[in-house]
Amino acid sequence: MESPLMAFSYGVIEGLYDKENIWNWSSRKAYVNFCAARSMDFFIYAPKNDPFLREQWQQPWPQESFDELKALASGFQSKGIRFGIGFTPYNIRELDKQSRLQLKEKVNALNELNPDILCILFDDFTNDVIDLARKQAEIADYIASLSTAKQFIVCGTYYSKDPLLQRVYGAMPENYWSEQGKYLDPKFDIFWTGDHVISLGYDQPGLQQIADDFRRKPFLWDNYPVNDPDWLKSRLRIYTFTGRPWQISEWCSGHAANTMIQPWLSMIPIATLSDLYQQKERFDGHASFRNTVHDLCGDSLAKAIIDNLIYLTEEGTLNFSEFTRQRLQDTFSALQSPVEKPFSDEIVHWLNLKQ
């Protein structure tokens, strides 16, 4: 049975792990106007490097950070963009009296942010629990019962077919996905990254298979243009979305694009995702990329990015000669107009990142 939820939606999720390259609040606020201009439906704040959403979730945010979150939520909502929070009930194994009290206190704090979407994330921490899917569903139900959010999305411990997850977190319980679908109330969407944690693309058979297990269409957590894993930090994944047909809007309940370490440069590929869903069969990925770079970065910086695209996206800093590195630094350091600066500064900083 499919979830009787809202129509297909697409937007941005900030879900980075990297603890050294953390987005600042001004960069997040830049996404208010960006998402509005590109007809994005939502922005979800779910960085794995925010300890108050994960390992230290029982602790309150410092007041300054909490005030920034409130302002961020209000900014998006003032433009008609739904604001979401991704919360991990880290190390909660079952609902005893203490965990219920702690969860109630946390969800009450989250309610002060007035989120439209609450994501309940059981991903990426060891969860050696008998009857895992059922217990996670019970925890999700309890959290949702306390929340004022209008939409709920769950991410399971095993959110991909990627064998990496079982190598790191242990063998997946038998029938885990079908039990998720069985035990999770239809009001919950379920995140899915695809055949891999970082998938090259999606097709109907693969998405239909997991939809059958989930008893609802999956909600894509798409790890493009993510580059925070060590093996991707040397590249800027700024090219257009590929391997994602517009028919995903028929096969899935939603599509959340996770971002790079670089917030401003992430806007380039994410803008092409908006073009994909708006233009459908008329979508031309390369034309969308070229138009987007000119629109966001201005003509001079756009030309420099396009001329050096192969170095930025494919060759990467680990393979640069000192001549190439210096040439790129000189090129992008010189492009400092108000429009260019946020993007060119990120490229220059990336050129100097320690790998």
Side-chain angles (χ1 to χ4, degrees), residues 15 17 48 54 88 120-126 132 136 153-170 172-173 176-177 180 189-199 202 206-207 210 214 218-223 226 228-229 258:
Y17 271 104
K48 307 297 178 69
R54 288 179 64 82
T88 295
I120 303 163
L121 310 176
F122 296 101
D123 58 314
D124 298 342
F125 66 93
T126 301
L132 180 62
Q136 289 179 341
I153 314 175
V154 168
C155 184
T157 302
Y158 302 93
Y159 49 84
S160 167
K161 294 180 180 178
D162 199 324
L164 170 68
L165 296 179
Q166 298 199 57
R167 290 201 303 271
V168 176
Y169 302 109
M172 182 174 71
Y176 176 75
W177 295 323
Q180 268 192 301
D189 275 308
I190 305 177
F191 275 131
W192 181 247
T193 69
D195 288 345
H196 300 280
V197 173
I198 299 179
S199 291
Y202 303 94
L207 293 172
I210 198 63
F214 286 167
F219 198 115
L220 283 189
W221 176 310
D222 189 347
N223 282 318
V226 164
D228 60 340
N258 197 5

Side-chain angles (χ1 to χ4, degrees), residues 107-178:
V107 177
N108 285 342
L110 294 176
N111 288 342
E112 292 185 45
L113 300 172
N114 192 31
D116 303 285
I117 305 166
L118 179 61
C119 303
I120 303 163
L121 310 176
F122 296 101
D123 58 314
D124 298 342
F125 66 93
T126 301
N127 208 334
D128 51 347
V129 175
I130 296 173
D131 213 359
L132 180 62
R134 182 179 61 81
K135 288 188 177 177
Q136 289 179 341
E138 289 174 355
I139 294 167
D141 264 324
Y142 180 69
I143 291 171
S145 74
L146 302 170
S147 174
T148 58
K150 301 174 183 65
Q151 182 179 10
F152 302 97
I153 314 175
V154 168
C155 184
T157 302
Y158 302 93
Y159 49 84
S160 167
K161 294 180 180 178
D162 199 324
L164 170 68
L165 296 179
Q166 298 199 57
R167 290 201 303 271
V168 176
Y169 302 109
M172 182 174 71
E174 188 176 0
N175 301 320
Y176 176 75
W177 295 323
S178 61

